[in-house]
Amino acid sequence: IFLTGLLVSKFVDTGKPVVLVDGNQSRVGKTQLVQVAGIVLDGEATTIVDFKADDTELAKAILANLNSRTQSILLVDNAKVANGGAINSPTIEANSTAPLISMRVVGTGKTFERPNDLIWCITMNHTRGSPDLVARSLPVRFHYDGNPADRDFGGRDPKDYARRHRIQLLGELVGIVNYWNQIGRPPGVARHSLTKWVEVIGGIMVAIGFPEFLTNSDDAAAEFNDSLGDVAALAEAAIMTRGPAVVFINDTVSGA
């Protein structure tokens, strides 16, 4: 996330993934991660756009955020969908990986446009995404057993640390990129739909000792994927209710 923000101008035309930050419960640090990235990249914590299931209202909130200030990250926080549904936002899907952000300004007939030099981040708890969204995402999973409120960090605050050491942190990121340049810019070989991004960021990650980068992305994406989740939900319902289940055999239907 930090490296993508540092090099974001390289991915405006070719796209960079939507960061899906998921937790097994609230208060495990999802929003704080994104805000720390904002402090390092911009000098201030990333502002929050509260998620709205109504896509028109979500588009209004995103547009208001884009008009109010310029930051490296667009954070859509606490995505929740009723009845176990999936995040399915035409606004996010149309703009998050496009070279140009283009949104209608409601009630004016005008269109807001700007280069898409932002990292789009969505935080959630056990929320699924549409297949199109998941295919263009970078899944980040948070898991904590127990009550997050009981954790004791000895007074340490990641956001305060990022503010006090921002220049050093940026220097470390630049040094990482310089090292990758010096060894000939080996491309990343991990699989992702955004090939330019994974060649650069994947290559850097491997160069600095993280060869496992994205190696578990298929498993993570499967857990986020709404279409696969529907199959799992049907199977779970059949087990919980002890049937009946429906089985398709040679295009015929039989009960089981």
Side-chain angles (χ1 to χ4, degrees), residues 220-235:
E223 294 182 30
F224 276 107
N225 195 315
D226 178 49
S227 60
L228 297 178
D230 288 341
V231 175
L234 287 171

Side-chain angles (χ1 to χ4, degrees), residues 23-28 142-152:
N24 70 318
Q25 57 180 312
S26 60
R27 301 178 66 184
V28 292
F142 276 70
H143 184 97
Y144 181 75
D145 292 320
N147 185 354
D150 294 336
R151 294 178 296 176
D152 183 5

